[in-house]
Amino acid sequence: MPTIILKKTFKIKPAGFKVANEKSFSFHGGAVTNHIVNTVNQRLATVRYNPGASRVQFGGGPSGHFQAPMNHDCQKFNEEDVICAILDAMEDLGWNFRFQYDSESQSVKLNGSSMTFRELFIFQKAGGDAGAPAGGGAMGGGAPAPAPGATILRIAAPVDVAEGQTFTAEYKGRRFQVAAPPGGLRKGQVTEVPEPF
């Protein structure tokens, strides 16, 4: 199953009385294509950035990876918006968000030390099941196929939900129950259900 990693890096380099910061995103993995990056960049262009925040756009970097720098104001005010835009674009392309983890490293050298914090988002391509909905989510609880023209809702699980268990979702101010599909759902994982009203 192909895998793509989105890495967010925050590097701190103290130098005397100054501290230099580097903040960036980068895509890694042989499955990353120009089409994926262009789709992500289009979604990032819709983010409403605060004044002073840099606009995040991926381009080719010296390492061969697609990279996007982020200034301090962008990190402070728009980082979550940027991450949501990337997650949404990847899901639209059929890449499932699997998990996220953090790492931290420190380097001490004669000419200065640095600390690097990384947050990695792991995506895997939906399997070759042509009947699966876009984004790889399953219809909640083995629900029957929706009627042609029915509205399909993408619902994120608020907590881990075991197969067959239900949770409450809200759409247009109305609450309804969603059953977890086979295999269950992890917190934040998206499932698709037909509009219940």
Side-chain angles (χ1 to χ4, degrees):
M1 192 176 288
T3 300
I4 291 177
I5 297 175
L6 170 69
K7 179 171 69 173
K8 183 184 79 171
T9 304
F10 178 52
K11 189 170 190 173
I12 303 169
K13 296 186 278 187
F17 294 106
K18 292 185 177 183
V19 176
N21 294 316
E22 294 175 13
K23 304 168 186 108
S24 65
F25 290 96
S26 57
F27 275 114
H28 301 265
V32 181
T33 64
N34 285 324
H35 173 68
I36 291 171
V37 173
N38 291 337
T39 301
V40 168
N41 281 340
Q42 288 171 359
R43 185 63 64 96
L44 287 168
T46 66
V47 172
R48 289 182 284 185
Y49 292 91
N50 275 32
S54 62
R55 296 187 177 279
V56 174
Q57 289 286 290
F58 286 87
S63 65
H65 299 114
F66 291 96
Q67 298 176 332
M70 170 177 53
N71 70 6
H72 177 74
D73 284 346
C74 184
Q75 181 193 21
K76 184 175 177 181
F77 298 111
N78 298 107
E79 179 179 344
E80 292 82 4
D81 302 313
V82 167
I83 292 171
C84 285
I86 295 169
L87 291 172
D88 289 347
M90 293 297 287
E91 189 168 339
D92 287 349
L93 291 166
W95 287 88
N96 298 322
F97 170 71
R98 290 294 175 209
F99 58 91
Q100 173 269 334
Y101 69 91
D102 300 330
S103 71
E104 179 180 324
S105 61
Q106 188 171 19
S107 172
V108 179
K109 299 178 183 174
L110 290 174
N111 61 349
S113 61
S114 67
M115 290 187 68
T116 303
F117 303 91
R118 292 180 187 90
E119 193 172 353
L120 295 119
F121 299 84
I122 312 302
F123 297 92
Q124 287 186 323
K125 186 69 170 173
D129 180 3
M139 286 294 174
T151 301
I152 302 299
L153 305 178
R154 299 169 70 82
I155 307 293
V159 295
D160 290 345
V161 184
E163 179 177 332
Q165 288 187 330
T166 62
F167 62 93
T168 302
E170 187 173 326
Y171 178 69
K172 293 186 177 179
R174 296 174 69 182
R175 292 178 184 218
F176 61 98
Q177 293 297 304
V178 175
L185 296 167
R186 290 181 305 279
K187 180 180 179 180
Q189 186 176 2
V190 174
T191 188
E192 295 179 341
V193 297
E195 182 178 2
F197 319 116

